[in-house]
Amino acid sequence: MLYPHVIFDLDGTLIDSSESIFASFRAVFPASGLSPVMPFTSDLIGPSLMETLKLLTGTKDENVLRASAEAFKTHYDNKGYKTTAVFFGINELLVGLKSNGAKMYIATNKRIFPTQKIVDLFKWNNYFEGGYALDTFSPPAQSKQELLKKIIKKHKFENDKIVYIGDRKEDGLSAEGNNIPFIKANWGYDPTPMTDHKIATSPADLHIMLT
């Protein structure tokens, strides 16, 4: 293995969660009496829940945001997450990397509760050494960059022995901030060109790059 430890982003990298997330957001607005101020697009997939709600509601009212967040969590954690899809080729990628001895981890902006539900849904527990979200740690990590820093510290990773895989510019910047390699999953949600990093065009391509 080129990198003994592989850390994956979740949404837009391993899973296509767009429709499941949009369905839960649509359930929020009738209950709150609000209307979304922008369309549901892939740009909304990836940031933390509160960041996304601020964009969708167009408000900074903490009471409104907290109520909307709770409504979203109730729907998504009990129903919405079940319609999550796995990107084509991901299961084969995980099997191949594990058979080659890679230790794999998840680092996501998604909350840890639905993250574990999704891992359970797809029976991925045997593939990942750990799954980490902003709220895994206490106090919670404030950004993806800080989350990666905490994971690196927890496992005492050497920076040249790990790689982060993600689909968003934020993921690349978070890896840069921790001085670790990054590969962009180009099948994800963020079309932003990232010429400073390697780009994988498919999970099969990524497998070749990692092995």
Side-chain angles (χ1 to χ4, degrees), residues 111-129:
R111 293 170 296 115
I112 193 61
F113 185 70
T115 295
Q116 189 57 59
K117 281 202 163 190
I118 289 168
V119 170
D120 291 342
L121 178 68
F122 296 120
K123 298 179 172 60
W124 282 350
N125 284 289
N126 290 335
Y127 294 113
F128 293 101
E129 304 296 314

Side-chain angles (χ1 to χ4, degrees), residues 143-158:
S143 66
K144 182 71 71 64
Q145 181 172 326
E146 185 181 347
L147 177 61
L148 288 176
K149 182 179 180 179
K150 288 178 178 291
I151 295 170
I152 292 168
K153 182 179 180 180
K154 175 180 174 66
H155 292 280
K156 300 179 180 178
F157 289 141
E158 298 177 38

